[in-house]
Amino acid sequence: MRMSVELPLWRALSGYRVLTMLYAVGLFATAYDDYDRPGVAIAYFAVLFVWTLATLPRVQNAAACTKRFLTVDLAVALTGIVLTPFVVSDQHIQDSGPTLPSIWTAGSVLAFAIKGGWRWAAFASTPVAVANLIERGHPARDTVHNVILVWVASIAIGYVVEVARASERTLARALEIEAATRERERLARDIHDGVLQVLAMVQRRGAVLGGEAAELGRLAGEQEVALRTLVSGGLVPVSRVSEDLAEGAVVRLVEVPDQPAGSDGPLDLRTLLAPYAAARVALAEPGAPVLLEPAAARELAAAVGAALDNVRRHAGEEARAWILVEDEPGEVIVTVRDDGPGIPEGRLAQAEGEGRLGVAQSIRGRLRDLGGRAELISTPGQGTEVELTVPKAVAGKDSRR
């Protein structure tokens, strides 16, 4: 059940309208001698009595309290204020006697405040203030005080209502997120206990059996990684659909689109690196978003992709790779390591001299343009490690120029 913070206010308004209506009738009875035309006053109070009781269902909630009702209700209050000089004696007005509706008028203004907030309250208070000044004939001190009191009180209550509504929406959203998180955790437990373990077993058994079973095992491993990524943090790879065929079956990795073009908001680097996770590529990342400027995030992800391409090209399809993401206070560090044969000494310089600029441009060039650095450590027979470092405050190329 969802609790509404407005419900107590509407109930209080209903009670206020009834009590102030009875109070206005009581004032009329006690000051009957001050009325030159009591018949007109009695007719007005009869209308006020019937209107107040008949419209109690209208002040139960915001949906029932329509604009048309608020307009008519305010007109009833203004009519009583304007009629006052015609039904009471001059001495009553000079003695600052109450108007016909008295403080019942405030209930009409408060209904505006609860329904629409402080702006509606200010709008309703203005004609009430004008009617009170017309009734008195001149801006007396007590009249001005009453007008200011109604203005301030109604606007303050309207502002409180707006704050309460915003708090209620925030609380409802937080409860929805909490419920969704609990449900995802429950599903993650069930999937981990069943589907993920079966996929891992198929991967291991396929690798042992070899042949077509090895291909099925590889596909099962990719599905395990994709499913584990989904249930662990809701992250899915971006803007790519891959298909693998095995005995006529189509296995799809469905991925969400990247951030819309023209968006200036930061990107979560994890969502850009998620596509690289596979059966032979392990991805380790922080639990919280790793935010970078869109250009920096995409260039860093592209550099990681270039490093993995080098692993597949030079270390072979059977080589394993590991991606480690570290979110430091002032920079982001991504390390790509493999278990391949390593790079012979002088091979990078030779490749650059031959015009092969994979490492020089695709990796080091990208990081240099971002104001970061790329360090490559390789020992023959012990694999290769590429450490990519990007500062969080990155200026674009145009601004640096």
Side-chain angles (χ1 to χ4, degrees), residues 68 133 161 172 193 253 265 374 379:
R68 180 178 298 178
L133 293 175
V161 169
D193 294 340
L253 297 178
T379 303

Side-chain angles (χ1 to χ4, degrees), residues 124-165:
S125 300
T126 301
V128 172
V130 174
N132 275 280
L133 293 175
I134 293 175
E135 181 268 337
R136 189 63 183 272
H138 61 279
R141 177 178 298 178
D142 54 347
T143 304
V144 173
H145 287 176
N146 292 336
V147 167
I148 293 177
L149 179 62
V150 172
W151 247 327
V152 172
S154 59
I155 291 176
I157 292 176
Y159 178 76
V160 169
V161 169
E162 290 184 359
V163 173
R165 285 173 177 162

